[in-house]
Amino acid sequence: MLRTLRYVGAAVAALTFGSMQPAEAQQRGGAATVATIGEPNTLDPMVSAGDLLGMITQHFYETLYTFDKNWELTPLLAEKLPEVSADGKVYTIPLRQGVTFHNSQPMTAKDVVASLKRWTDLASRGKLVAGNIQAIEAIDDNTVRLTLKEPFAALTALLAFNNSAAVVMPADHMENPIKEVIGTGPYRLKERKADQYIQLVRFDGYKPREGEPNGFGGARKQYLDEIRFVPVPDANTRVEGALAGQFDYADLLPVEAYDRLRGQSKTEPLMLESFGWAMFIMNNKQGMMTKLDLRKAVQAALNAEDMLAAAFGKPEFYSVDGAMYPKSYVWRTEVGTEAYNQGDADKAAALAKKAGYDGSPIRILTSRQYEFHYKMAQVAAEYLKAAGFKVDLQVVDWATLVQRRAEPAVWDIFITHSPFLPEPALIAPLPDTYPGWWASETKNKLLTAFNTEMDQKKRIAIWADIQKLIYEEVPFYKVGDFNALTAKSPRLQGFTASPWPYFWNASLKQ
């Protein structure tokens, strides 16, 4: 079964979602077991930008807006899309009525205002807009108004995103760290046992939107009694568990397992094409990578094609592409990509000498929970050694990596990946506050121009300048594009493949 992530139209990406059986054919009840790549380091989606965290928490925390099956913005906790003033500075957001939290309290504008203020204080994406917010206020119990100092074209998309997320929490539960997980979602947290499972159960007080499911939007139907997320850090163990029928869904599997998963009775492969892109994030705040010539030396040393081949095997599973968006996206530009995929040891050595490299090891953080990260790191280490660098490859579990990357003193490069996002302002390493801490004056001027510009053609041109700057300042290194392989049980009905798998609307065939 094939799932395709592609781009259509002028401003948003389109995911061709898998066909879903009619709702009347689905059965209520049962517990679905989902094998994840590991354990999230928190259950607070405001304070972390991890995809694993967003995948899990979107079941119990909700945002004002989300994305439909065509990656168009659509309301979730808001009643409708915001009313925006002619000058683009005032957003009036009507809220859905009758929504309750998991503690049975009604959701009101007071909760939304408190949540948005917490988001701008704590979330990396919230901080992206925080300095531009003049006021967040409740007009009445069911209406919120955001007043900006300058227009911000990406605001609604930021409010819709599911990690570093503007989720709505009760106004009287704004602690940091959170003491109690209370959201509005179709499922609520029942129990978390570290390194064993996160157990969610149906929230009987949930009020779905009217109509039918539509991507992440529309009605969220609660067929399952329970969803259990089980951390399975070893990728091969996730494969074996899927083959044995132990998991109803297994996330992010090695692509070489595709042939083994085909034709099985207890599982079936799902391949998402052009799922995302892998990147090496440089530490721009502290240590050796604060030197531009040293970052350029790493850029010159690395051979992206060999890293992708090691990570994904067959060429049909990856694309050697330095542009930040694939060819089918409106944001696509090849400006700056001549610096991509050099694999030039001599040039890298010369740049390292110019930077005054003293022989200290480059500390690279990676994790085998994303096996392709680890394989890329192994190849990168060899290319860096060929250029005269020493390398300290630190292999840790994903939760530890997320914890360590927040400490600038302990790493020089870490490896991560991202799906292709419908709005470039959502790209994780762009804000100053994201680990890597790319705080360039030129970047901030371009981002301000990009985010305040409301004309789409002009935004596309500014984005080309941002991509050019990425290659000039090397805050991170894009490795290339890749497909993602997952697996699901044939008994899991109504499931729709997506970059962040969700299990409302899904059911188990009894």
Side-chain angles (χ1 to χ4, degrees):
M1 187 180 293
L2 201 65
R3 301 290 182 269
T4 304
L5 190 64
R6 57 189 178 86
Y7 194 89
V8 297
V12 292
L15 176 65
T16 301
F17 285 75
S19 60
M20 197 170 74
Q21 291 188 355
E24 59 268 23
Q26 293 178 253
Q27 296 173 309
R28 186 178 172 92
T33 301
V34 178
T36 66
I37 62 98
E39 181 97 0
N41 64 323
T42 177
L43 290 182
D44 184 348
M46 286 195 192
V47 302
S48 178
D51 286 340
L52 172 62
L53 177 65
M55 166 188 168
I56 294 172
T57 59
Q58 65 185 342
H59 292 82
F60 46 86
Y61 281 126
E62 294 182 312
T63 48
L64 292 169
Y65 301 101
T66 188
F67 298 100
D68 69 14
K69 64 182 180 181
N70 295 316
W71 287 95
E72 297 280 1
L73 289 160
T74 191
L76 183 55
L77 289 177
E79 179 61 33
K80 58 183 180 179
L81 290 174
E83 299 172 5
V84 184
S85 62
D87 62 4
K89 296 181 181 180
V90 180
Y91 285 64
T92 302
I93 302 173
L95 305 176
R96 291 173 58 207
Q97 299 183 39
V99 174
T100 58
F101 290 105
H102 298 155
N103 62 1
S104 299
Q105 292 180 3
M107 182 196 77
T108 69
K110 177 183 176 182
D111 303 300
V112 175
V113 168
S115 297
L116 291 178
K117 288 181 178 178
R118 185 179 190 271
W119 177 67
T120 57
D121 286 341
L122 300 179
S124 60
R125 289 189 173 91
K127 290 177 181 178
L128 185 65
V129 70
N132 191 26
I133 293 179
Q134 181 172 310
I136 305 172
E137 52 194 334
I139 303 305
D140 54 42
D141 283 349
N142 302 304
T143 312
V144 170
R145 183 168 63 202
L146 278 76
T147 304
L148 306 178
K149 299 172 185 175
E150 299 292 340
F152 192 81
L155 179 59
T156 309
L158 282 175
L159 294 175
F161 205 54
N162 74 352
N163 61 50
S164 189
V167 297
V168 177
M169 304 173 173
D172 55 357
H173 286 75
M174 292 286 117
E175 305 92 353
N176 181 35
I178 54 174
K179 295 180 180 179
E180 192 175 1
V181 173
I182 303 174
T184 60
Y187 291 85
R188 60 178 178 83
L189 178 67
K190 181 177 181 181
E191 185 177 22
R192 179 184 188 181
K193 286 197 173 182
D195 300 319
Q196 295 185 49
Y197 59 80
I198 295 171
Q199 181 188 19
L200 310 183
V201 295
R202 182 191 296 113
F203 172 43
D204 291 329
Y206 183 67
K207 181 181 179 181
R209 296 191 69 90
E210 295 181 358
E212 292 301 314
N214 185 1
F216 293 92
R220 294 183 168 185
K221 299 180 183 292
Q222 304 165 282
Y223 296 111
L224 297 169
D225 292 335
E226 178 183 323
I227 307 166
R228 186 170 293 220
F229 294 95
V230 179
V232 185
D234 184 79
N236 292 322
T237 303
R238 294 199 297 278
V239 173
E240 297 302 325
L243 290 167
Q246 181 180 355
F247 308 130
D248 296 297
Y249 182 83
D251 200 29
L252 291 179
L253 305 177
V255 293
E256 57 265 26
Y258 184 73
D259 290 338
R260 287 190 66 201
L261 294 165
R262 294 178 64 185
Q264 296 294 316
S265 61
K266 295 181 179 179
T267 194
E268 57 190 16
L270 300 177
M271 181 69 76
L272 283 82
E273 292 186 343
S274 296
F275 171 85
W277 53 292
M279 68 191 98
F280 286 25
I281 305 289
M282 314 284 186
N283 187 340
N284 293 252
K285 186 174 186 178
Q286 187 171 341
M288 67 174 73
M289 289 301 155
T290 58
K291 297 180 179 180
L292 175 59
D293 283 326
L294 211 52
R295 299 198 301 274
K296 283 184 172 289
V298 172
Q299 181 186 61
L302 296 180
N303 182 301
E305 187 167 4
D306 283 356
M307 287 190 286
L308 289 164
F312 299 105
K314 298 178 182 180
E316 56 264 37
F317 291 129
Y318 64 86
S319 176
V320 183
D321 188 356
M324 299 299 149
Y325 280 92
K327 292 180 180 179
S328 54
Y329 282 70
V330 72
W331 304 109
R332 169 77 178 193
T333 176
E334 297 187 15
V335 172
T337 58
E338 60 273 7
Y340 172 70
N341 192 32
Q342 297 177 61
D344 190 334
D346 291 339
K347 180 179 178 181
L351 284 163
K353 183 178 180 180
K354 181 181 176 184
Y357 175 60
D358 63 3
S360 299
I362 299 176
R363 299 163 298 174
I364 301 178
L365 275 177
T366 190
S367 173
R368 296 201 71 162
Q369 288 166 260
Y370 293 109
E371 186 70 12
F372 66 97
H373 289 189
Y374 173 67
K375 291 178 178 178
M376 288 176 179
Q378 287 182 304
V379 175
E382 296 307 312
Y383 273 95
L384 291 169
K385 290 174 186 176
F389 290 102
K390 291 182 181 178
V391 177
D392 177 12
L393 190 60
Q394 300 180 6
V395 185
V396 298
D397 63 85
W398 184 250
T400 300
L401 186 149
V402 171
Q403 182 180 28
R404 286 190 186 177
R405 73 184 185 186
E407 303 173 22
V410 303
W411 63 275
D412 300 301
I413 297 173
F414 79 84
I415 302 172
T416 188
H417 69 273
S418 172
F420 292 105
L421 303 172
E423 164 58 56
L426 298 175
I427 294 175
L430 293 185
D432 294 3
T433 52
Y434 183 82
W437 303 283
W438 182 29
S440 160
E441 182 179 350
T442 304
K443 178 210 70 173
N444 288 333
K445 286 181 179 178
L446 285 172
L447 271 182
T448 298
F450 180 73
N451 289 325
T452 57
E453 179 57 64
M454 306 303 285
D455 182 278
Q456 179 70 356
K457 290 184 179 179
K458 292 180 181 178
R459 295 189 83 221
I460 291 170
I462 298 169
W463 173 247
D465 290 337
I466 294 173
Q467 178 173 295
K468 182 173 182 286
L469 188 69
I470 289 169
Y471 276 99
E472 290 174 349
E473 297 194 354
V474 204
F476 57 86
Y477 180 91
K478 180 189 175 183
V479 182
D481 305 346
F482 66 92
N483 299 341
L485 177 66
T486 65
K488 80 169 190 71
S489 166
R491 76 184 191 124
L492 186 65
Q493 305 289 300
F495 174 78
T496 301
S498 78
W500 302 283
Y502 55 87
F503 300 91
W504 61 82
N505 302 334
S507 64
L508 291 173
K509 187 176 181 181
Q510 304 298 322

